[in-house]
Amino acid sequence: MRVAVIVFPGSNCELDTVHALRLLGAEPDLVFHRETDLSGADGIVLPGGFAHGDYLRTGAIARFSPVMAEVERHAAAGTPVLGICNGFQILTEAGLLPGALVANRDLRFICRPIHVRVESTDSILTRNAEVGRVLRIPLNSYEGNFVLDPSALEALNDRDGVLLRYSDSTGNVGDGSNPNGSTNSIAGTTNAAGNVAGLMPHPERAVEEILGSSDGRVLLESFVSSMEAIPA
Amino acid sequence: MRFRVQVMRRPGIADPEGATTARALNDLGYAEVTGVHFGRDIVVEVDIGDEAAAHARVTEMCERLLANPVIEDYTVERIL
Amino acid sequence: MTEPAHRLLGMTDDEYESVITILDRTPATAELAMYSVMWSEHCSYKSSRGLLGRFRSNYPWVVLGPGENAGVVDLGDGWLAALRIESHNHPSFVEPYQGAATGVGGILRDIFTMGARPVAVWDPLRFGPLSDAHNRYLFSGVVSGIAGYGNAVGVPTLGGEVEFADRFSGNPLVNVMALGLLKEEQLVTRAAGNAGDVAILLGSSTGRDGIGGASILASASFDEDSGVKRPSVQVGDPFEEKKLIEACLELYDRGLLAAIQDLGAAGISCATSESASAGGMGMDVDLDAVHLRESDMTAGEILMSESQERMLAIVEPDNVEAVLAVAEKWEVGVSEIGTITDGDLLRVFQGGEEIASIPAASLSDDAPLYDRPARRPEDLDEIWADAPPLPDHVNLPDVLLELLDDPALGDRSWISEQYDHMLFLQTVVEPGHDGSLLRIKGTSKGLAVSTDGDSLRCFLDPRRGAKRLIYESALNVAVTGAAPYAVVDNLNFGNPEKPEIMWQFIETVDGMADACEHLNVPVVGGNVSFYNETDGVDIYPAPVVGMLGFADPMPENPPRLDRAEEGMEIWLVGPESGDDFAASAYSRVLLDHLGGRPEAVDPTVALAVVAHAARLAPNVPVLHDVSAGGLAVAIAEICIRSGIGAALDDMAWELLLDEAPIRFIAVTPVGTDLGIGNVPIRWLGVMGGNRIAFGRHSSVPLDESTRVWREAIPRRMVG
């Protein structure tokens, strides 16, 4: 299964994403943001980093990169599209996922492992997981604070679009376990069709025990298996 | 022709910079402060003769790139 | 009466005379500007160069030693590591965020100039006490500057260390160490090769930032009007640097460059002259071709500009097109600014006119060299005689809690969690341990790094203090699972024109050089930062060591502070003391006292202890260096991180709090063979329960210790 891992100027997690996807048996290719043809891709990942320096707003400039029209076309056609951290920010800016990401509540960058609870398995990111499962995955962001207005939040909840919520190690969700102030502790979401997903934590940083956790595997394995289930 | 674009967080959307600064002002004794709101000022220079047309173009820029309508409002104003 | 131009540029009359002798005429304005910056303390090391030859670097595994952009060592199987340390002290005081940020940017360029991909950064930091609001502002600004630049440029920050002391209030120290990895065939030179090759400036446009910054900021001391120096601070753009890194790495991969040199202090002057003179060539430089941020810049401003994120590539004519295409792909600014020539002249043109013509090598090779007078401080014997006034008894639980509440001893994750320390999927032991450990993916190799400084001990006895630093740093990498392999040092001192400061410097260099030789570790690079004084007050001498450790194979399950379990035994490995309290955390925090003389290290014992730690590392769950705060703090850290209490043997309080050098704690399952030969060992107790108990009579709850330790920095940073 071929995965296009998009490289924007300022992306920095693309090689890590490739490493993790290879470990899980996928065949990732780095695709520069100026490309306009993704026809061979069974899936697309927008990796973490600081595309275009995060200038103006995080993700705001990247969403107009030449490759994004093709990403949008694939998303509409049902291809699995995953945004991790900065990639999640770009997907919200592009309107492929609801909401937006703003500065963390404490106005400090946060790099540490946090816990998330799986809220829905109806997506390319969580299809192999179980609702209620708690995963320990590194968070690494300054603008990781998910916001959206109350009516949009209601709509998102109604269609079961929240995939992951920040929690404590036993799965309790609350202010104490919300690292960055995200609305409703939301850490990851999906679109209505379930083929576009985004999350702030970095599952590719949690695929080997020697690095502290392999809890990210189930998420990336979901993505890889969804490519087989959903023909490009 | 120069336009000032002011982008502000929409009411009800989290504004951590604003909230933190309001708290700091309260701590400094400005108990009357009930809100601080952060935005961004952008000056756009355009080479268009007609002001109405230029204003419309800049507004379009706001819709597409300069503001994120999901969380932000904006105003456009001609400046010297 | 107006000052002559050379004095305004910080040059002495004698130095000016030397320029006239070299050129055999009066220098033109642009020429004078170039000499003034290149001969500044910061660029020329004129006060220290003569002494740094004490450091030995000719070991078989050293590929490039001091004097290059970075030291390079051989890791076997075609792998090389490039490492360097730098200071950004003065800029960080003037503007903490940008000063620290551009420090990160600068050192990364030194690393990828060698052909290496920068893979990690460490930041040793020193500030005044956090009780002062301005120190908090500097501390918080520096940490966010490092995070803001390092995270965005995509190079993880794997740690560092921090010290808080009064003498750093006026003069914080911001050092930064970087490590890069490359394969043998990727190593590039800065030496320009052939006449006709083209000099191409890559990266940001050249603006007025940091004009003369190298000489002004790094070579003069601070006084009350330092606010007016603000315009000289450069502004960093991590996005530009990230593109520049990727563009350069692509240029190396495709073999398109003959040579490359980064632009740092003294900008174009320095890069063009160093590149030409390293290759024994000359260069013609056309300033009209330089891509500028402001069009009305003078020749001097263009030559001196310290605009960040720029590189000078030397390219064979046939490859110019391809280089321009790579620059365009990565959206990196580019201009062809010069041509390599035969001979040794650096000639600079503007508006078709020659405005400078000087022997390229004279800017570096003919720089002045000072043998500054040194004098042992008159009050040194008095200071040594003033040993800490120790009480007969102490309340150990109270003392431990006070120590854990100290911001230099408590939890430092307030700092390290602002840094991306996980990028590249290489971090096996993260910040918060004695050293950090990173794997080289696709190999069995691992690298450990520890940065260490101890300014109070170095103030009391610079020679002993410096030696102890080297040994401590070696032990830190050993308990992390690697053998000491190479050292870089950053020597932060006060005003070298004062004989007492020069004495501190010489003692330090001698001490470090001796200890490195005993350990058989090369010094592959270093940095000297002088004039760290404000209003006549010099900082404590603050040599900082960056120790690289190497392991092949890397331990699969290296020691960690959080691997202690109920029932495991606690051992002290290394000599016991009980009376080394000079500059200890106990004396500083509890007695507010600085005096006495630190113990010396027996080099034979040190070698044995370091070697033993490295041998144990693959098989022991917890190894922890005993340093600031002594055994009590070291054991408490293991308890807190592992979430288990400890019951310690009855022992004199002095044994728990003194800081005798070169010892570590091992926590092992019962029955583990510690295989001790000639290294002393002592049983200390067992892990278990929810209290840290000192013998039968006193103890402190683990949860209270944990809370105090965690809050040490955060509670000081609110408000």
Side-chain angles (χ1 to χ4, degrees), chain A residues 7-17 19-20 32-34 49-55 107-113 138-140 202 204-208 210-212, chain C residues 117 147-148 150-155 236-240 242-243 246 328-331 414 416-429 439 441 554-556 558:
Chain A
V7 183
F8 300 93
S11 295
N12 63 29
C13 298
E14 70 274 20
L15 296 176
D16 295 359
T17 305
H19 177 91
F32 204 57
H33 74 124
R34 291 193 184 283
F50 292 74
H52 296 277
D54 269 1
Y55 295 145
L107 300 179
R108 281 199 303 275
F109 194 95
I110 299 173
C111 177
R112 65 179 152 91
L139 186 66
N140 185 67
H202 286 262
E204 85 281 10
R205 293 187 177 192
V207 293
E208 292 173 87
I210 192 172
L211 302 178
Chain C
R117 178 177 279 280
N151 298 350
V153 78
V155 179
D237 180 350
F239 176 51
E240 195 66 38
K242 170 68 174 169
K243 292 187 296 182
E246 299 304 330
E328 174 163 352
K329 171 186 167 186
W330 288 104
E331 300 168 28
W414 187 91
S416 57
E417 285 183 358
Q418 295 189 54
Y419 303 150
D420 181 350
H421 53 264
M422 300 177 181
L423 188 68
F424 297 150
L425 309 183
Q426 61 182 9
T427 311
V428 175
V429 175
R439 62 173 181 175
K441 288 203 294 286
M554 183 187 81
E556 277 170 30

Side-chain angles (χ1 to χ4, degrees), chain C residues 167-203:
Chain C
R167 296 254 189 118
F168 300 115
S169 279
N171 205 312
L173 300 185
V174 177
N175 294 172
V176 53
M177 173 180 169
L179 175 73
L181 288 175
L182 68 160
K183 298 302 294 274
E184 257 163 14
E185 62 274 14
Q186 290 168 322
L187 187 64
V188 279
T189 168
R190 64 173 153 190
N194 298 305
D197 286 358
V198 182
I200 296 181
L201 187 63
L202 292 166

Side-chain angles (χ1 to χ4, degrees), chain A residues 15-36:
Chain A
L15 296 176
D16 295 359
T17 305
V18 164
H19 177 91
L21 288 169
R22 279 214 182 106
L23 215 59
L24 302 179
E27 295 170 72
D29 301 301
L30 292 175
V31 177
F32 204 57
H33 74 124
R34 291 193 184 283
E35 298 287 328
T36 51

Side-chain angles (χ1 to χ4, degrees), chain C residues 456-478:
Chain C
L456 298 184
R457 214 164 252 126
C458 290
F459 171 72
L460 295 182
D461 188 331
R463 180 180 296 260
R464 284 187 178 179
K467 287 189 184 194
R468 286 177 63 149
L469 272 185
I470 296 286
Y471 291 121
E472 183 189 343
S473 221
L475 186 54
N476 280 337
V477 301

